[in-house]
Amino acid sequence: MSDAPRSTLRPLVILISGTGSNMQAIVRAAQAQRWRERYGAFVAAIISNRPDAKGLAWAAGEGLPTAVLDHKAYPSREAFDAALAQAIARFDPDATARVVLAGFMRILTPAFVERFAGRLVNIHPSLLPAFPGLHTHQRAIEAGCRFAGATVHLVTAELDQGPILEQAVVPILPGDTPETLAARVLTQEHLIYPRAIERWLRETGG
Ligand code: GRF
């Protein structure tokens, strides 16, 4: 099947800050499940706020366009987010891109979230609404939780809130450390993030 006409193309712009293992899982799923043919969806760019993010090299090796916007080079959160929106726009001529936060460790301004409302998705390593914010695994262990997990959700102005698209649950085992628990949760993230995006593409047009 030839490429979908431009008006029906749905670019995905993935934002990362580090390893980008979730980004890798999404790229692989898009290839294996032929998202471009089925939904017109393709990974248009990987953008990192950290020049040293390991995921950048992986993406470049895949032939994917990459860009770096070092947040330290901007005087304010607002200035960084405005530049980030411009960087996304370069890969998104029709302003229809879905923006996928994949281990992107920046809090976004309300103006940015508003601009991409309904097109912005995140994965958070806890069973939201429990444990928004940082250090989720340590906090879940300290609270005596028996289960932890991960949540894919649409992004709204409030941190780690927004409609839930997908969740996965993992047990917290005796002797777990934040690191062992994080590793167990991450394997589930790699399953639910591509699955959530695929369903989001399938169920929402435009
Ligand atoms: C993931 O656990 C994500 O949920 C969290 O940071 C980690 C990023 O991993 N916010 P990666 O960069 O996708 O490998």
Side-chain angles (χ1 to χ4, degrees):
M1 195 175 147
S2 60
D3 287 350
R6 177 173 142 163
S7 60
T8 61
L9 282 180
R10 293 195 260 174
L12 301 171
V13 176
I14 306 180
L15 308 188
I16 65 170
S17 297
T19 310
S21 67
N22 279 294
M23 174 266 296
Q24 294 179 29
I26 293 163
V27 168
R28 288 290 181 241
Q31 293 165 341
Q33 299 167 13
R34 299 179 298 109
W35 289 1
R36 187 170 187 127
E37 286 170 44
R38 293 166 66 200
Y39 310 120
F42 67 102
V43 178
I46 310 299
I47 301 178
S48 172
N49 67 308
R50 297 183 62 109
D52 59 351
K54 288 204 182 96
L56 284 171
W58 185 89
E62 290 289 307
L64 294 167
T66 62
V68 175
L69 258 85
D70 188 345
H71 62 273
K72 297 201 194 89
Y74 295 85
S76 66
R77 207 173 275 285
E78 286 73 19
F80 173 74
D81 279 10
L84 182 59
Q86 274 178 18
I88 293 169
R90 283 203 291 278
F91 302 102
D92 179 25
D94 297 332
T96 57
R98 316 280 176 122
V99 177
V100 176
L101 309 178
F104 186 65
M105 304 304 282
R106 297 282 306 167
I107 293 175
L108 297 165
T109 54
F112 184 95
V113 173
E114 177 62 30
R115 178 173 178 147
F116 292 97
R119 299 194 279 130
L120 190 55
V121 67
N122 182 43
I123 190 160
H124 181 75
S126 80
L127 288 172
L128 291 174
F131 307 120
L134 295 174
H135 309 300
T136 55
H137 306 301
Q138 187 181 333
R139 288 157 62 204
I141 291 168
E142 283 173 5
C145 295
R146 296 295 194 263
F147 293 94
T151 304
V152 179
H153 65 98
L154 293 178
V155 176
T156 53
E158 217 176 330
L159 180 68
D160 295 330
Q161 307 287 325
I164 291 171
L165 300 182
E166 191 89 41
Q167 286 186 309
V169 180
V170 302
I172 297 180
L173 302 176
D176 257 344
T177 64
E179 291 73 28
T180 59
L181 179 56
R184 191 176 309 120
V185 170
L186 193 60
T187 62
Q188 295 302 309
E189 293 184 44
H190 298 161
L191 298 177
I192 65 169
Y193 212 177
R195 187 191 303 156
I197 293 170
E198 195 270 342
R199 205 176 70 205
W200 188 39
L201 289 166
R202 184 157 31 88
E203 293 179 354
T204 59

